[in-house]
Amino acid sequence: DGERGVPVAGTGPGIDAEDQARIFEECQQTEVGVQQREGTCLGLALSKRLVELHGGRIWVESELGAGSRFAFTLPAGHLT
């Protein structure tokens, strides 16, 4: 399909299915993120914007208690 994916996995608390739809918006955090009081709440929003500017897409696969796997793809020509 002309895309190459780049996965990034974590062993954190995971992300509830309801939160997965909104975490790529500016200043949206999960309940766990708010409790930890860390970050600027812009990282995923900026990542999404950069990936999309290059014609790619980004997503998350996660289950509460099992960590998260973020991945993005870029058109093959952007990686050379």
Side-chain angles (χ1 to χ4, degrees):
D1 66 357
E3 292 184 326
R4 296 181 186 169
V6 180
V8 179
T11 58
I15 302 167
D16 186 272
E18 293 178 12
D19 289 330
Q20 291 178 28
R22 64 181 186 85
I23 61 170
F24 291 100
E25 298 172 13
E26 291 180 20
C27 293
Q28 294 293 318
Q29 293 181 310
T30 65
E31 186 69 28
V32 172
V34 170
Q35 290 171 1
Q36 291 178 347
R37 298 179 187 214
E38 294 180 7
T40 63
C41 72
L42 292 174
L44 288 174
L46 289 172
S47 297
K48 181 178 188 273
R49 184 72 177 132
L50 286 171
V51 167
E52 289 176 347
L53 282 170
H54 290 283
R57 61 188 184 93
I58 187 170
W59 67 94
V60 62
E61 298 167 354
S62 186
E63 183 180 327
L64 280 176
S68 301
R69 181 180 177 267
F70 291 85
F72 68 92
T73 59
L74 296 174
H78 281 79
L79 297 176
T80 58

